[in-house]
Amino acid sequence: MSVSDMFASSMGRLDDHQRLRLYVEGIRDRADKAVPWAPDTVGIPPQAGENALLRINDVAFYANARDEVTALADFCLSLLDLHHPRDCGGVSSAEAPAALRCHSCMLRWPCPSVRELARLLA
């Protein structure tokens, strides 16, 4: 199946753009609802030699991860808001639907931005 086939929608089915958007929204919602991560809730494994600096870095990572995941999901959703399919408006005598282009960059749908998001997240 080609990437173009993956993004073709049919009546009553979500296309891959919509599925990708729902997937990222789910990540954001789960991150927003999660309790703050702390060393006692995530069980940071003991470090070999118990290097205090490594332990502080682990704690800082876990403390900020929830907010960073939410910010990353918001960024992905902003990209999906910009890059969505639109009808080219061309007239065709064929029965096939008109070609789609990206609303933002006007490249053939799916555009490289959405293809890359789908590849990385799905």
Side-chain angles (χ1 to χ4, degrees):
M1 174 183 283
S2 72
V3 174
S4 297
D5 294 337
M6 287 179 13
F7 284 89
S9 69
S10 61
M11 293 298 265
R13 282 189 38 209
L14 295 177
D15 64 23
D16 277 1
H17 182 267
Q18 293 165 322
R19 278 194 298 275
L20 188 58
R21 181 171 187 76
L22 289 173
Y23 176 76
V24 175
E25 285 174 347
I27 291 171
R28 184 187 58 189
D29 291 344
R30 287 189 301 277
D32 284 342
K33 293 175 185 173
V35 296
W37 295 349
D40 58 335
T41 62
V42 295
I44 296 174
Q47 301 291 330
E50 286 297 318
N51 182 334
L53 184 57
L54 289 176
R55 186 119 177 114
I56 290 169
N57 287 338
D58 286 347
V59 170
F61 170 78
Y62 287 123
N64 294 316
R66 180 179 152 217
D67 293 332
E68 290 170 351
V69 167
T70 299
L72 181 61
D74 287 338
F75 173 73
C76 291
L77 290 172
S78 294
L79 280 175
L80 289 171
D81 284 341
L82 287 172
H83 297 273
H84 55 86
R86 92 177 230 185
D87 189 347
C88 294
V91 178
S92 171
S93 61
E95 291 185 23
L100 296 177
R101 294 210 175 265
C102 177
H103 181 76
S104 181
C105 61
M106 291 306 292
L107 295 172
R108 197 162 194 64
W109 186 258
C111 69
S113 298
V114 172
R115 276 197 312 257
E116 188 65 9
L117 270 174
R119 185 186 70 79
L120 293 171
L121 295 175

Short mmCIF file of all heavy atoms in Angstrom, two decimals, residues 12-54:
data_model
loop_
_atom_site.label_atom_id
_atom_site.label_comp_id
_atom_site.label_asym_id
_atom_site.label_seq_id
_atom_site.Cartn_x
_atom_site.Cartn_y
_atom_site.Cartn_z
N GLY A 12 -17.46 7.59 6.05
CA GLY A 12 -17.62 6.93 7.34
C GLY A 12 -16.31 6.47 7.98
O GLY A 12 -16.35 5.92 9.06
N ARG A 13 -15.18 6.68 7.32
CA ARG A 13 -13.89 6.27 7.88
C ARG A 13 -13.02 7.48 8.10
O ARG A 13 -13.04 8.42 7.31
CB ARG A 13 -13.16 5.32 6.92
CG ARG A 13 -13.70 3.93 6.94
CD ARG A 13 -12.85 2.95 6.16
NE ARG A 13 -11.43 3.21 6.30
CZ ARG A 13 -10.53 2.92 5.38
NH1 ARG A 13 -10.91 2.37 4.24
NH2 ARG A 13 -9.26 3.16 5.55
N LEU A 14 -12.25 7.44 9.16
CA LEU A 14 -11.29 8.51 9.39
C LEU A 14 -10.11 8.33 8.46
O LEU A 14 -9.62 7.22 8.28
CB LEU A 14 -10.79 8.47 10.83
CG LEU A 14 -11.81 8.75 11.93
CD1 LEU A 14 -11.16 8.59 13.30
CD2 LEU A 14 -12.38 10.14 11.80
N ASP A 15 -9.62 9.42 7.87
CA ASP A 15 -8.40 9.30 7.09
C ASP A 15 -7.21 9.34 8.04
O ASP A 15 -7.37 9.56 9.24
CB ASP A 15 -8.33 10.36 5.98
CG ASP A 15 -8.26 11.78 6.52
OD1 ASP A 15 -7.85 11.98 7.68
OD2 ASP A 15 -8.62 12.70 5.78
N ASP A 16 -6.02 9.12 7.53
CA ASP A 16 -4.85 9.06 8.38
C ASP A 16 -4.55 10.40 9.05
O ASP A 16 -4.02 10.43 10.15
CB ASP A 16 -3.63 8.56 7.61
CG ASP A 16 -3.60 7.06 7.53
OD1 ASP A 16 -4.52 6.41 8.06
OD2 ASP A 16 -2.65 6.53 6.95
N HIS A 17 -4.90 11.50 8.42
CA HIS A 17 -4.71 12.81 9.04
C HIS A 17 -5.55 12.91 10.30
O HIS A 17 -5.07 13.33 11.36
CB HIS A 17 -5.06 13.92 8.05
CG HIS A 17 -4.85 15.30 8.59
ND1 HIS A 17 -5.85 16.01 9.21
CD2 HIS A 17 -3.74 16.09 8.61
CE1 HIS A 17 -5.37 17.19 9.58
NE2 HIS A 17 -4.09 17.25 9.23
N GLN A 18 -6.80 12.49 10.22
CA GLN A 18 -7.69 12.52 11.37
C GLN A 18 -7.23 11.54 12.45
O GLN A 18 -7.26 11.85 13.64
CB GLN A 18 -9.12 12.21 10.94
CG GLN A 18 -9.71 13.28 10.04
CD GLN A 18 -10.97 12.80 9.34
OE1 GLN A 18 -11.06 11.64 8.92
NE2 GLN A 18 -11.92 13.69 9.19
N ARG A 19 -6.80 10.33 12.03
CA ARG A 19 -6.32 9.35 13.01
C ARG A 19 -5.06 9.85 13.71
O ARG A 19 -4.91 9.70 14.91
CB ARG A 19 -6.05 8.01 12.33
CG ARG A 19 -7.29 7.17 12.13
CD ARG A 19 -6.95 5.73 11.78
NE ARG A 19 -6.22 5.58 10.54
CZ ARG A 19 -6.78 5.51 9.34
NH1 ARG A 19 -8.08 5.59 9.22
NH2 ARG A 19 -6.04 5.37 8.27
N LEU A 20 -4.15 10.47 12.94
CA LEU A 20 -2.92 11.00 13.52
C LEU A 20 -3.25 12.11 14.51
O LEU A 20 -2.68 12.18 15.59
CB LEU A 20 -2.02 11.52 12.40
CG LEU A 20 -0.61 11.95 12.77
CD1 LEU A 20 0.17 10.81 13.43
CD2 LEU A 20 0.13 12.41 11.52
N ARG A 21 -4.19 12.95 14.15
CA ARG A 21 -4.61 14.03 15.05
C ARG A 21 -5.20 13.47 16.35
O ARG A 21 -4.87 13.92 17.44
CB ARG A 21 -5.61 14.93 14.34
CG ARG A 21 -6.07 16.07 15.18
CD ARG A 21 -6.90 17.07 14.39
NE ARG A 21 -7.16 18.20 15.21
CZ ARG A 21 -6.28 19.15 15.49
NH1 ARG A 21 -5.10 19.10 14.96
NH2 ARG A 21 -6.58 20.14 16.28
N LEU A 22 -6.05 12.47 16.24
CA LEU A 22 -6.63 11.85 17.45
C LEU A 22 -5.56 11.18 18.30
O LEU A 22 -5.61 11.24 19.54
CB LEU A 22 -7.70 10.83 17.05
CG LEU A 22 -9.00 11.42 16.50
CD1 LEU A 22 -9.90 10.29 15.98
CD2 LEU A 22 -9.71 12.24 17.55
N TYR A 23 -4.58 10.57 17.66
CA TYR A 23 -3.48 9.92 18.37
C TYR A 23 -2.69 10.95 19.19
O TYR A 23 -2.42 10.75 20.38
CB TYR A 23 -2.58 9.20 17.36
CG TYR A 23 -1.36 8.56 17.95
CD1 TYR A 23 -1.44 7.36 18.66
CD2 TYR A 23 -0.11 9.15 17.80
CE1 TYR A 23 -0.31 6.78 19.19
CE2 TYR A 23 1.02 8.57 18.33
CZ TYR A 23 0.92 7.38 19.03
OH TYR A 23 2.04 6.80 19.56
N VAL A 24 -2.34 12.06 18.56
CA VAL A 24 -1.56 13.09 19.25
C VAL A 24 -2.40 13.75 20.34
O VAL A 24 -1.91 14.05 21.43
CB VAL A 24 -1.01 14.14 18.25
CG1 VAL A 24 -0.31 15.28 18.97
CG2 VAL A 24 -0.04 13.48 17.28
N GLU A 25 -3.69 13.98 20.08
CA GLU A 25 -4.55 14.54 21.11
C GLU A 25 -4.63 13.60 22.32
O GLU A 25 -4.64 14.05 23.47
CB GLU A 25 -5.95 14.79 20.56
CG GLU A 25 -6.04 16.00 19.67
CD GLU A 25 -7.39 16.16 19.01
OE1 GLU A 25 -8.22 15.21 19.03
OE2 GLU A 25 -7.63 17.25 18.44
N GLY A 26 -4.66 12.30 22.07
CA GLY A 26 -4.67 11.33 23.17
C GLY A 26 -3.40 11.40 24.00
O GLY A 26 -3.44 11.33 25.23
N ILE A 27 -2.25 11.54 23.33
CA ILE A 27 -0.99 11.68 24.06
C ILE A 27 -1.03 12.92 24.94
O ILE A 27 -0.66 12.88 26.12
CB ILE A 27 0.21 11.75 23.07
CG1 ILE A 27 0.41 10.40 22.39
CG2 ILE A 27 1.48 12.19 23.79
CD1 ILE A 27 1.42 10.45 21.24
N ARG A 28 -1.46 14.03 24.34
CA ARG A 28 -1.52 15.29 25.10
C ARG A 28 -2.47 15.16 26.30
O ARG A 28 -2.14 15.56 27.41
CB ARG A 28 -1.97 16.43 24.20
CG ARG A 28 -1.94 17.78 24.94
CD ARG A 28 -2.52 18.89 24.14
NE ARG A 28 -3.89 18.55 23.77
CZ ARG A 28 -4.62 19.24 22.93
NH1 ARG A 28 -4.10 20.27 22.31
NH2 ARG A 28 -5.85 18.90 22.65
N ASP A 29 -3.64 14.58 26.08
CA ASP A 29 -4.61 14.43 27.17
C ASP A 29 -4.08 13.55 28.29
O ASP A 29 -4.25 13.86 29.47
CB ASP A 29 -5.94 13.87 26.64
CG ASP A 29 -6.67 14.85 25.75
OD1 ASP A 29 -6.33 16.06 25.76
OD2 ASP A 29 -7.59 14.41 25.02
N ARG A 30 -3.43 12.44 27.92
CA ARG A 30 -2.86 11.56 28.96
C ARG A 30 -1.75 12.26 29.73
O ARG A 30 -1.65 12.13 30.95
CB ARG A 30 -2.36 10.26 28.34
CG ARG A 30 -3.49 9.32 27.92
CD ARG A 30 -2.98 7.94 27.52
NE ARG A 30 -2.04 7.96 26.42
CZ ARG A 30 -2.37 8.01 25.13
NH1 ARG A 30 -3.64 8.04 24.79
NH2 ARG A 30 -1.44 8.00 24.19
N ALA A 31 -0.94 13.04 29.04
CA ALA A 31 0.14 13.78 29.71
C ALA A 31 -0.44 14.84 30.63
O ALA A 31 0.06 15.04 31.76
CB ALA A 31 1.08 14.41 28.69
N ASP A 32 -1.49 15.54 30.19
CA ASP A 32 -2.10 16.56 31.03
C ASP A 32 -2.75 15.98 32.28
O ASP A 32 -2.75 16.61 33.34
CB ASP A 32 -3.17 17.34 30.24
CG ASP A 32 -2.57 18.34 29.28
OD1 ASP A 32 -1.38 18.70 29.42
OD2 ASP A 32 -3.29 18.77 28.36
N LYS A 33 -3.32 14.79 32.17
CA LYS A 33 -4.02 14.18 33.29
C LYS A 33 -3.11 13.40 34.23
O LYS A 33 -3.50 13.06 35.34
CB LYS A 33 -5.12 13.24 32.78
CG LYS A 33 -6.24 13.98 32.08
CD LYS A 33 -7.24 13.00 31.48
CE LYS A 33 -8.29 13.74 30.67
NZ LYS A 33 -9.17 12.83 29.96
N ALA A 34 -1.90 13.11 33.78
CA ALA A 34 -0.98 12.31 34.60
C ALA A 34 -0.56 13.08 35.85
O ALA A 34 -0.44 14.30 35.82
CB ALA A 34 0.26 11.93 33.78
N VAL A 35 -0.35 12.35 36.91
CA VAL A 35 0.16 12.99 38.12
C VAL A 35 1.61 13.37 37.87
O VAL A 35 2.31 12.74 37.07
CB VAL A 35 0.06 12.06 39.35
CG1 VAL A 35 -1.38 11.75 39.68
CG2 VAL A 35 0.85 10.80 39.15
N PRO A 36 2.08 14.43 38.51
CA PRO A 36 3.49 14.81 38.32
C PRO A 36 4.40 13.64 38.66
O PRO A 36 4.19 12.93 39.63
CB PRO A 36 3.68 15.97 39.29
CG PRO A 36 2.31 16.49 39.53
CD PRO A 36 1.38 15.31 39.41
N TRP A 37 5.41 13.45 37.84
CA TRP A 37 6.36 12.38 38.07
C TRP A 37 7.37 12.83 39.11
O TRP A 37 7.90 13.93 39.04
CB TRP A 37 7.08 12.01 36.79
CG TRP A 37 6.19 11.42 35.75
CD1 TRP A 37 4.90 11.01 35.90
CD2 TRP A 37 6.53 11.19 34.39
NE1 TRP A 37 4.41 10.53 34.71
CE2 TRP A 37 5.39 10.62 33.77
CE3 TRP A 37 7.66 11.39 33.63
CZ2 TRP A 37 5.37 10.27 32.44
CZ3 TRP A 37 7.64 11.04 32.30
CH2 TRP A 37 6.51 10.48 31.72
N ALA A 38 7.63 11.98 40.04
CA ALA A 38 8.61 12.28 41.08
C ALA A 38 9.41 11.00 41.32
O ALA A 38 8.98 9.91 40.97
CB ALA A 38 7.90 12.73 42.36
N PRO A 39 10.58 11.13 41.95
CA PRO A 39 11.41 9.93 42.18
C PRO A 39 10.68 8.81 42.91
O PRO A 39 10.87 7.64 42.60
CB PRO A 39 12.57 10.46 43.01
CG PRO A 39 12.64 11.91 42.69
CD PRO A 39 11.23 12.34 42.41
N ASP A 40 9.79 9.15 43.83
CA ASP A 40 9.09 8.10 44.57
C ASP A 40 7.96 7.46 43.77
O ASP A 40 7.49 6.38 44.11
CB ASP A 40 8.58 8.62 45.91
CG ASP A 40 7.64 9.80 45.76
OD1 ASP A 40 7.73 10.52 44.73
OD2 ASP A 40 6.82 10.01 46.66
N THR A 41 7.51 8.10 42.67
CA THR A 41 6.43 7.52 41.87
C THR A 41 6.93 6.76 40.66
O THR A 41 6.21 5.94 40.12
CB THR A 41 5.44 8.61 41.39
OG1 THR A 41 6.13 9.52 40.55
CG2 THR A 41 4.80 9.33 42.54
N VAL A 42 8.13 7.03 40.20
CA VAL A 42 8.63 6.35 39.01
C VAL A 42 9.69 5.31 39.32
O VAL A 42 10.07 4.55 38.45
CB VAL A 42 9.19 7.34 37.96
CG1 VAL A 42 8.08 8.20 37.44
CG2 VAL A 42 10.32 8.15 38.52
N GLY A 43 10.16 5.27 40.52
CA GLY A 43 11.15 4.27 40.89
C GLY A 43 12.44 4.38 40.12
O GLY A 43 12.79 3.49 39.36
N ILE A 44 13.12 5.51 40.27
CA ILE A 44 14.39 5.70 39.59
C ILE A 44 15.36 4.62 40.07
O ILE A 44 15.59 4.47 41.26
CB ILE A 44 14.98 7.10 39.90
CG1 ILE A 44 14.04 8.17 39.34
CG2 ILE A 44 16.37 7.25 39.30
CD1 ILE A 44 14.44 9.58 39.70
N PRO A 45 15.90 3.85 39.13
CA PRO A 45 16.80 2.78 39.53
C PRO A 45 18.10 3.34 40.12
O PRO A 45 18.55 4.41 39.72
CB PRO A 45 17.09 2.04 38.22
CG PRO A 45 16.78 3.02 37.16
CD PRO A 45 15.75 3.96 37.70
N PRO A 46 18.67 2.62 41.08
CA PRO A 46 19.93 3.09 41.65
C PRO A 46 21.02 3.07 40.60
O PRO A 46 21.06 2.19 39.75
CB PRO A 46 20.21 2.10 42.78
CG PRO A 46 19.35 0.92 42.51
CD PRO A 46 18.21 1.37 41.65
N GLN A 47 21.86 4.07 40.63
CA GLN A 47 22.97 4.18 39.69
C GLN A 47 24.18 3.42 40.21
O GLN A 47 24.39 3.33 41.41
CB GLN A 47 23.36 5.66 39.49
CG GLN A 47 22.23 6.54 38.98
CD GLN A 47 21.87 6.21 37.55
OE1 GLN A 47 22.70 5.78 36.77
NE2 GLN A 47 20.61 6.40 37.21
N ALA A 48 24.95 2.90 39.28
CA ALA A 48 26.20 2.24 39.67
C ALA A 48 27.12 3.31 40.23
O ALA A 48 27.41 4.30 39.58
CB ALA A 48 26.84 1.57 38.46
N GLY A 49 27.53 3.15 41.45
CA GLY A 49 28.40 4.12 42.10
C GLY A 49 27.63 5.28 42.71
O GLY A 49 28.21 6.15 43.33
N GLU A 50 26.30 5.31 42.51
CA GLU A 50 25.44 6.36 43.06
C GLU A 50 26.01 7.76 42.84
O GLU A 50 26.17 8.54 43.76
CB GLU A 50 25.18 6.11 44.56
CG GLU A 50 24.22 5.00 44.85
CD GLU A 50 22.81 5.24 44.31
OE1 GLU A 50 22.29 6.35 44.41
OE2 GLU A 50 22.26 4.28 43.77
N ASN A 51 26.32 8.07 41.60
CA ASN A 51 26.79 9.40 41.24
C ASN A 51 25.64 10.39 41.46
O ASN A 51 24.60 10.30 40.81
CB ASN A 51 27.25 9.41 39.79
CG ASN A 51 27.81 10.73 39.34
OD1 ASN A 51 27.48 11.78 39.87
ND2 ASN A 51 28.67 10.67 38.34
N ALA A 52 25.84 11.34 42.34
CA ALA A 52 24.78 12.28 42.71
C ALA A 52 24.34 13.13 41.52
O ALA A 52 23.16 13.42 41.36
CB ALA A 52 25.25 13.17 43.85
N LEU A 53 25.27 13.50 40.65
CA LEU A 53 24.92 14.33 39.50
C LEU A 53 24.01 13.57 38.54
O LEU A 53 23.03 14.12 38.02
CB LEU A 53 26.17 14.79 38.77
CG LEU A 53 25.95 15.73 37.60
CD1 LEU A 53 25.19 16.99 38.03
CD2 LEU A 53 27.27 16.12 36.97
N LEU A 54 24.28 12.28 38.31
CA LEU A 54 23.41 11.47 37.45
C LEU A 54 22.02 11.36 38.05
O LEU A 54 21.02 11.42 37.34
CB LEU A 54 24.01 10.09 37.23
CG LEU A 54 25.25 10.02 36.35
CD1 LEU A 54 25.78 8.58 36.29
CD2 LEU A 54 24.94 10.51 34.95
#
